[in-house]
Amino acid sequence: MRAWIAGGVSAALIAGVLVAAGVGAQNAEAASPAPGFTVAPQKDLVAGEDLSLELTFTSAGAAAGDQYNVSAGLVIPAGVTYVGASAGMTAPKIYAAGKEFTTAQDCAAIGLEAGSAGKCRVPAGKQYLVFENITDLPVGAKQQATVTLRPNAQTFPVGTTALDIVGSAYTSNDPSRLPQFPGSTAKGSGTTSAPGISKTNVPVKAFRVAKSEPSPEGELLRGIHDHTTTYTLRISHTAEGDLSNTQVTDFLPAGLEFLGTGGIDHTTNANGAQGAVEYPGAARLTATPAPAGGTGAAGAASSVETIKADQALADQYGLEVGKVYTKVTWNLGTLLGLGDPRDTTAGVKQNYASAPGTSGVFEIRYRAGIPLFENTLDFGATTPSATSGDQAANLDNNRGASTRHGISGDPYSAQTQRNVAAVSGSYAGKKTESSAAHSVDAVDVRLLKSVSTKPNPDPANASDWSRNASFTQGQIASYRLNIATSEYVGATQGGAPDRLVDDMADGVCPAFPAGTAITGGGSTPKLTQGGIDNPGAPMSASDWNAMLADRGVSSDCSWPSTHTPASDLKLAGATLTSLSYNPSNGHFSIELALAPADALAAPNREHNVVYTVMQSASYTEDDGQSGATSSGDRVTNNAKVTLTTDARPELDGIVSKEGAKADGREHAADDSSATLEAALSGMQKRVLPRDAAGQTTAANVASATGWVD
């Protein structure tokens, strides 16, 4: 059985319900261009684990037209067992080394070798998996599937380079025919595409490291006292044997302060001029809490050292040459494959081929935050030694550039803080390593947009809101804009370029009740046609409503809305400045003003704006969609905010040793989106094999038996 998205896909599929293996002479010339095809392995396969391959099939475009019955072949080494595949894929036919196929394909290109009499042959030491009738590819479509394999850990140990995979994918331009290629059941129909080919080598490692941090949308508010965050390094290691000289290293960029496991402060002269605290009235860093979830397996770091990245480090870890980093190291010594006391998940050796191995897993956690100024190599008179740990939670060397959001003159120019973690060690005398990177943007103004389809959702209840919700025609949805300021600034909405706007994609329209608060007073917002960035002349409410009616927009979105009950609708936390409609793409735009105006005027403030929309029954303009809103459709709205930020008074006159100012005024901007998505309808696709003459009968078609997945 296949599950399909309704809409543009369904018409192609309905035509292809009867699929035959086909008979007749083989046609050596491809009937259509090759589909796009990639075989992507999981990140850092650890010895003993199962290997996950993601297969991606992409339409060859308009030149190919709709393509059907996608099929694929995978040439993999012997000593690898097929485990399973994602829903929609049946078990493959598996051909051993030496099997030959009559074909016109370029054997070497698809991972096979030339055999006898022009045939293709599965090479020695290889096996060939053939998957048929996986999916369909209408023009512009992309489909994905997953295949799971189990490499023998003894045959493919840590450090092997022998795990090569060659994949080939094929389509048919006839919905009733399977593609014909080596190993397929089709006998040749002249409807088969050229092959899409993908080759990959999968290194086998002893480690895998994953790095995470919980800031929503990858945005971390500045402030090493009030907005610290927890970084987690999750290390998986093979259970097939022990590792020695195990070491975890993390490189934090200059704009990210390493605060260790919390509760420590080695500052003596912050910013090179401020004494024990970052600014007057600030707390000592001893108030830093422990990492969320605890410190993990390693505890305090073995060494903390401020360095400048050279070319070798840049090449190895993707650091920037000449930039300052805090290098944090945990020396873990011997790591037992089985039964290491630091593991939170115990490792299990592979039992090939019946059971996979399970990697041992442990975690390291630490606190970090965004300070006023970047770290430098200059600690003043004395630089603490790396092994003392005194370079952690130490603001003495925060003498560099400002980390401020918008400092470059571009309100959107939040500074990205990218850090890289690596784990290394020796396994059976060979060095092995894995690395991972994580980035956050350092912001002073953060906007998080979310959506709810609950009646009258609570703005303060996080469980009522999400970035994605289900679209239902004719129902009200609510959007929430959560805006927050950092420890170092307050924010207000002044004149240009300050603004708070939402661009609503075709498929929803704003629904505001009578009595909605209007910016500057009055009973009607500014109403225009043409879009909020290029509005036409203001129009009256009656002209606005007539224009929307002509476009087929529900009167629920007229001004004011006619929706009943009116209690379903709201605007809270802001006043309404303007509404605009763009007939060229069906988008509505709204402009809002914060209410109260000083809602974010102080540091560490948070404010919610909530407003309602109608989920439309149809699109009002093409905009890449057509007709009624339907199953699987996605409507994404994008909100933007630009505010004036003023540094807190305690920062007046504070300047880093390199001359960066902490005080003053800037503009800071952010954006965020939320999506409504209609649930998918579905259909089943099954195959009715043809008889030896390539025929089906009405009785066969009508019968419930004989059809296969």
Side-chain angles (χ1 to χ4, degrees), residues 471 473-474 505-509 551-554 581 586 588 614-622 625-630 633 635:
F471 182 100
Q473 290 182 354
D506 197 2
V508 297
C509 55
R551 306 297 304 183
V553 177
S554 167
Y581 173 73
F588 282 87
M614 170 60 67
Q615 300 171 83
S616 304
S618 61
Y619 295 105
T620 62
E621 190 52 51
D622 185 29
Q625 307 280 359
S626 60
T629 50
S630 181
D633 288 356
V635 179

Side-chain angles (χ1 to χ4, degrees), residues 476 510-514 516 545 554-566 569 612 614:
I476 294 295
F512 294 108
T516 295
N545 292 338
S554 167
S555 64
D556 285 354
C557 294
S558 60
W559 178 260
S561 172
T562 63
H563 177 83
T564 56
L569 310 180
T612 45
M614 170 60 67

